Each structure stands twice: as C-alpha cells, then as structure tokens.
Amino acid sequence: MDIIKASELTYEYIRRNEEGDVDSINQAIKGIDFDIAKGDFVAILGHNGSGKSTLAKAINAILAPTSGSLWVKGYDTKDLDKLWDIRQAAGMVFQNPDNQIIATVVEEDVGFGPENIGIPTKEIWERVEESLRAVGMLEYRKHSPNKLSGGQKQRVAIAGIMAMKPECIVLDEPTAMLDPNGRKDVIHTITELNKRENVTILLITHYMDEVIGADKVIVMDQGQIVMEGTPREVFSKVEELKKYRLDVPQVTELAYELKKSGIPIPDGILTVDELVDELSRL
Amino acid sequence: MSIILDKVNYKYSESTVYEKHALKDINLKINDGEFIGLIGHTGSGKSTLIQHLNGLMKATSGAIYYNGEDIYAKDFNMRTLRSKVGLVFQYPEHQLFETSVIKDVSFGPRNLGLPDLEIDLRAYEALKQVGIGEDLIDASPFELSGGQKRRVAIAGVLAMKPEVLILDEPTAGLDPKGRDEILDRIALLHKEQKITVILVSHSMEDVAKYVDRILVMNKGELIFDNTPKNVFAHYKELENIGLAAPQVTYVMNRLRDQGIRVSTSPTTIKEAKEEILRWAKGEIL
Amino acid sequence: MIRDITIGQYYPADSVIHRLDPRVKLIGTLLFIISLFLFNHFWGYVVASIYLFGIIKISKVPFKFIVKGLKSVMMIFLFTLVFNLFMTPGTVLWSFGFLKITWEGIRIAIFMGIRLTYLILGSSLMTFTTTPNNLTDGLESVMGPLNKIKVPVHEIAMMMSIALRFIPILLEETDKIMKAQTARGADFETGGLVKRAKSMIPLLVPLFVSAFRRANDLAMAMEARCYQGGHGRTKMNPLRYYKRDYLSFGVMAVYLGVLIGLNILL
C-alpha cells in the first residue's frame, strides 16, 4: 500500500506587490508523480532550491498544492477537515534542532504532540517513555534541551514525532547543522526506527553518504524528479549526478575514476569494502 | 608575518565549580602564507583557540605574539590585530544587518576609520573576491540565497584586508554546490593574495583536498600538528577521539591489509587513483 | 552580571514546598504579600517573620541563596528607604537645610524596609521552589476564569513557557553576534550615548532577524505537531490537589486569622 502518493503535483510561490497584484511566480514543484510504499526508507536528494523542502512541507500539509494532488495515508492534503489526521500520520522533523523544541524539559517536549491530539495523560507518559527509548534518549528525559548536543536534540525531536505514532516521518535536512558524530547518530536512529518499528522514512538531504542505506533514492532538480532508483542505480551515474551539482561518496567517485582509466570495476560502488573486494579480485 | 602561541591556557569560570580547562598549554607557530586545517570534535577547544588568535578571548596564562609583538602588552593595538586577523564565525550570514550588500561589506573598513574612497574600493574588491556580481551590490542582503549571504558575510571580513583569514566551518549547512563555491574561492585567495588561511572543518575530505598542514584538537590539547598524510596515517587514533580520515585513506589501508602493496598515504581521490593505477599497471600489464 | 540575578531562578531541592501544587504557591504568595499591608504594629511583624522564615526553613533553599537575590533590587530598596526617611512629616529629630528626619520617618522607613524585603523574599521563594513550567501551568489554571472574559489564558501561558525556553538561546546568540561584529572592528564599549546607541544597530538588527526566523520555524514545527491552541488538548502533568495542598491552605487561613485577630485586639 502506498502511504504517500503524488499526481501531477505542482506548487507555486506567488509573490505579490503592495497592491496585491502578482509580482512573480516561482514554480517550486513542477507536476511531479511519485508514490512511496509503506515501510520504505526513501531519500530525496537535490541542491538548495531544487524543490525538495517544498515537497516536505506539502506532505505535512503545511503547504497546499497549487494544482495536482497529494495523498497521505489516503487523505487528500487539500481536504482541510483531514489536516490534523495528515499531520499525525506524517510527522515532520526540521533542520534547525533548536527551533523545533518547545518545552524546557526533554520529556515534556516529547509529550507536546500527544497533548495536542488529546491523548489521555496516562497514555502520554507511556508513549513518551517508549519514544525516548526508541531514539536512545531515555536517560536524558529530565534534562533541559539547552544542555544537549545538536544530534541529541534532533533525536528528541524525532521522539516527539514518534510519540504521535505516525506511519511516516519526513525529515527535512535533519543533519545539515550537525557535526559528523551527530549526523551518524541521527541516521542510525532513523534507520533503526525504519527497521524495527516499520515507520516509513522520507529523508531529505544533500549528504550522499546518508542515503546509501535507503531503499529508494529520488533526485530532484528545478522542481522535477530527474532520477529515481536504488542507491546503486543512482550512484552508477556519476556524471549525471554531477550535472545536478550533487556529490557522490568519495569511494564511489574513486571507483568511477578508476573505471574510466580502464580498470574493470562494476558501476555504483557504495562502500569501502565493496571497492576493496573488487580491487583485490583483480 | 607569523603568529606564535607560547604555552597558552584558557580556563572558563576559573576557580569556581564550573571551571573548565578549554585550552591546555598550546604551543603553536603559524607562518606566513600557510593553508591550515583545524579539526576536532565539538567541544574540543577549536572555537576557543581561534578566538584567541584575534584577541576576542584572552588567555588565562601564556603569551601570543603577532609579528613578534606581544598582543597582551599594554600599548598593543587590539583593533589593528582584529583587522589583520580576520575571523569568520560559523553561520556568518547571521551577522548581516545593513540595508544593502555594499553597505554591509563596508562596515568593517568603516570601523577602521578609512577614507570613503578606500572603503568603497575595498568593499567592491572583497565582493569580487567572493564572486558576488555587481548586479547584487545594492540588493538587500536578506533577499539573497543562503550561499550568497554567506559569501557576502565573508566579504565583510575580507574588506578589512586581513593577513590571516580564519573560517569556522564556512560550509556548514550549505549544499555541495554552495560548499565548492566557497572553498574554491578561499583556495584562490590563498593562492593569489598569499593570505594565510586557517580552515576549521568537520569534513576530512575537504581538509585533505585543500590544506597543507593539519592541527588536531582534543579536550583542549593540540594532539597533532603535521601534514595531512602524516595526520591521517593515525586514523585509528583519530577514530578514538571521534574523528575519522577521508574515505580514500580507508580504501588504501584496507587494500594494504589485503596484501596489496600500495602506499597508504593518499588522502585525496586524485592521489588514490594514481597510486592504484600505478599498482594495477605493474600487476596487470 | 546576568548570572548574579537569582530572582526567578529555580533551586532544585526535595522539600514539601517544592512538591506543593503551583496554584497553592501562587495563591499563598499573593496572600502573603497582601498580609504584609494588613497590619502596622510590632506583633504583626513578629507573626509574619515566624511565618516566612518557617516556610524558608521547610523549603530547604539555603538562606544565603535567597538573600543573594536581594542584591539586585538594592537600589529600589535604598531609594524607598531614603525617600520615606526624609519625606515623612512629623516630629523633627534632626534637620539640615531642607532635609529633615522625623520620628515617624524612621518608623515608616523601617517598616517599609521590612515589608519590601519580605515581599521579595516571599515571591522569590515561590520561584526558587517551582519549576518555570510548573509555574506557567499554575498561572494558566489560576487565571482560567479569565477565559470567560475572552482573555487567551492558554496562549499567554504557552508564550511564557516558550519565552523561558528561548531566553538562554537568544542570550547566547547575542554574545555570538557581538563577537562577530567586534571581529569586524565594531566597538560596543566606548563613546557617548548617541554613538553607543548607534553601535547597537549591528547587534540588534541581526538579533531581531534571528528571533523572527526562530519564531517562524517554531510556529511551523508546532503546527506540524498538531498544535491548534488550548482547545481539545490533554495535559501531560494535570494539576491535582493533594492532602498537603489542602493542609497548606489551612496554614494560610490560620496565619491570616492570627494577623486579623491581632489587628482587632491591639
């Protein structure tokens, strides 16, 4: 079953001047179609301005499509009556860890979402504990978010979404402001959630090494989907990725360069181990 | 031009329960025209160290000499030091405040009390150096894209004509395109203007690609000070303190473990490719 | 500097006072402040002192810590003292030019001094023993009836708690921007009033821009987590009165009763 489905989805930012007349129209998403199966880990790549963040906000019904349709768990995101059902089904984690934590104590922040959707007190506490355990932050439950590292804050934010029991989590560049260790922790956490809790993950990022474990990669450029496939399929096309001003992991690029120089290595090497195996077979 | 740090120590909240030894006996000499990478995980003391270099923070003990002059001497002009050692903070676009790009970039030179003509010249030059075109100089800095904003903010420091440019994670939060634009510009400045550059970065790949000397901080101590090759040769120790080496260094070391007699020193794709090709030709042909 | 202000801080300790319902503490503090203005005789002060210091003792907050909070309001304190001392008409004890000290002045100055001190001690004791969140919850609940006259009580409480979360972040940010501008040669310390006010622009503009950006992000994050105002919301920590809370109300009643009794008798 598809948890998210888009059909000819278009979103335009319309800028108006002081008289309210249209000043300019910027098409952030240009009639795209895609679907995401329940339980999948999907990564969306693209440089800034490619439309990937707009897409994230559309899924969370923060932005309504200008034309075309987007369904989340079968609900049309244009249907205002289903707004809160959509947001509960597809939780969202944002880029800046500081600007999405509301409370001054970790556990109270995790309880914020369940409070909003009217969960009874006793169950809120159960959910808070469960979610904090799932992201490995249970021992910090009484801490102030200000004392946590960036990676820990993002994990608290993820727990805050988990506590709403979503079917899908959309993460909009969750690691852009983190150091390498924080990035690793966050990616590890969402990978685990995907595997153990079967939560559908939609990871928006521009770090190529984070998408290697994904089931599917979607590359966006100028509001359109330009590449789609498994990480191996997508990373086989180094030249094409470079055309969209994207990187490939260093080892993938090295393998590609070696192949260009005549060494017989298959396309789409993703890890150090794969490359070493291939080379030692020569 | 040189900066010398002699047994520099810094303690936060000295002689209270919150005391934290952020810098421990740092000895360091930064020479003219170097391109240095400073690495260390969050809280290792990197930020504290760079703020000492332009006098924003004062060492609890030890001495710092700029061109042989003691910067803590009474008659030393701290403002001159701040213009000579330009410091670009993390997310520098958060300091933009003027109504136009050119005015914002002029803020630094204006504070130096320069004549108007000189201020304009410097501002234009700095914007050119970071690749901001003339069409944008009268735009509001708040209307630019993320990468452009950041380059304008860097121009704001360059306009002071620093001899040393320190950048604290200048590419944080940017996409690959924005990152390359900034690092390439900085490399060019280093090459053409002979500016000494200190680059604080979390990306070992970037550091390996650009710098010729690496400083590694851990828990307030300077634990490595050497060329990229020699520093990344210690990749296991780097891992122990929460850092890593570039991916290609791992490839080379793993190949060596497999009995393939390649050198483990490459730190960039180019070097690794040449080394593997050299081996492959020897073995295959 | 900012670190020295202890008023409004929370002092973690395990005491009955800490565990009391925030509404009890809010109402209790309010009653105590009112009580200070109910009497004007020596015995009243004795009763109020026993009451206040008794509670401080039970609260386990070190007395030294509470007194530190007084320092930051020393100026207002001295001003009131001097004002009362010299400006009260009555039997003149000492005079120099237009300044005179009267018997009544001394008496009022001392009483006012004690009242002010107790007022500050009493209200800071409340913040020392109540976490900010708890306090906001208490306020929301105590002010609940105002909802009927269309006061957005829940929203006010939510604003307060968000402010509490973001004040430290914005302070840190101020420090960062200040350093960044200093690195560009800005000078925040010297010069006359006008120059200094002008030098604040490079600090204040980025700070406001950042605060608005954060507010925007936060609003979006809250909406994404289904926040739709106070309506239909459940509470993670619903307020509930326990035996100790009813007992405290009893203690307050006794205290007020004694004071009023004294007023009638004396």
Side-chain angles (χ1 to χ4, degrees), chain A:
Chain A
M1 195 200 103
D2 291 339
I3 181 85
I4 298 169
K5 187 171 168 54
S7 157
E8 291 178 29
L9 178 72
T10 300
Y11 186 82
E12 291 168 349
Y13 286 100
I14 300 174
R15 253 175 84 153
R16 290 175 190 279
N17 61 17
E18 277 144 24
E19 281 84 46
D21 300 326
V22 175
D23 215 21
S24 65
I25 297 178
N26 175 18
Q27 259 196 345
I29 301 179
K30 298 174 187 167
I32 60 173
D33 298 279
F34 68 91
D35 40 55
I36 288 166
K38 194 165 162 33
D40 265 4
F41 184 148
V42 177
I44 300 185
L45 291 174
H47 62 75
N48 293 344
S50 60
K52 59 191 193 329
S53 282
T54 308
L55 181 61
K57 284 171 195 151
I59 293 171
N60 204 251
I62 292 172
L63 301 175
T66 318
S67 69
S69 299
L70 181 67
W71 293 274
V72 174
K73 201 184 160 187
Y75 304 124
D76 188 334
T77 57
K78 276 187 297 231
D79 186 355
L80 286 177
D81 292 338
K82 293 283 179 266
L83 187 63
W84 307 110
D85 295 311
I86 292 168
R87 290 188 182 160
Q88 189 265 318
M92 186 152 170
V93 175
F94 297 85
Q95 186 187 80
N96 190 320
D98 271 324
N99 298 356
Q100 54 185 320
I101 294 181
I102 289 111
T104 43
V105 182
V106 166
E107 61 180 12
E108 285 179 18
D109 188 73
V110 178
F112 179 75
E115 283 182 329
N116 290 335
I117 51 176
I119 304 297
T121 302
K122 194 169 154 269
E123 201 188 328
I124 296 180
W125 283 96
E126 287 162 11
R127 287 185 178 202
V128 166
E129 188 166 331
E130 237 171 75
S131 324
L132 279 172
R133 186 173 295 127
V135 302
M137 288 294 291
L138 194 58
E139 56 182 310
Y140 295 92
R141 62 188 302 170
K142 300 283 178 198
H143 284 231
S144 153
N146 290 335
K147 300 262 158 69
L148 303 179
S149 72
Q152 290 173 327
K153 282 182 210 167
Q154 284 304 50
R155 278 149 69 197
V156 170
I158 294 170
I161 300 299
M162 281 302 287
M164 294 172 75
K165 303 227 162 147
E167 263 139 281
C168 169
I169 303 183
V170 182
L171 302 105
D172 188 5
E173 297 191 26
T175 58
M177 299 179 75
L178 307 182
D179 65 10
N181 294 327
R183 279 176 51 195
K184 239 184 273 166
D185 284 350
V186 168
I187 297 301
H188 175 76
T189 304
I190 56 180
T191 312
E192 283 290 294
L193 288 179
N194 176 250
K195 272 193 216 137
R196 278 189 293 123
E197 321 265 332
N198 202 30
V199 184
T200 312
I201 299 283
L202 203 63
L203 172 69
I204 293 172
T205 183
H206 50 236
Y207 288 113
M208 306 301 142
D209 48 342
E210 291 175 355
V211 311
I212 288 168
D215 297 313
K216 178 162 135 185
V217 177
I218 294 175
V219 180
M220 286 190 71
D221 189 57
Q222 295 181 10
Q224 280 166 324
I225 292 178
V226 289
M227 291 169 89
E228 203 173 342
T230 62
R232 201 176 299 284
E233 285 162 7
V234 168
F235 284 134
S236 308
K237 298 167 186 152
V238 175
E239 284 304 312
E240 201 178 340
L241 284 168
K242 287 201 165 168
K243 196 174 86 199
Y244 301 122
R245 307 297 309 256
L246 293 170
D247 274 343
V248 292
Q250 222 187 8
V251 53
T252 308
E253 190 167 354
L254 177 60
Y256 169 78
E257 288 288 329
L258 289 172
K259 192 183 174 187
K260 254 197 341 195
S261 305
I263 297 195
I265 312 176
D267 279 328
I269 293 284
L270 298 178
T271 64
V272 171
D273 288 353
E274 283 174 19
L275 179 61
V276 171
D277 285 351
E278 288 297 336
L279 284 174
S280 43
R281 219 175 284 156
L282 292 177

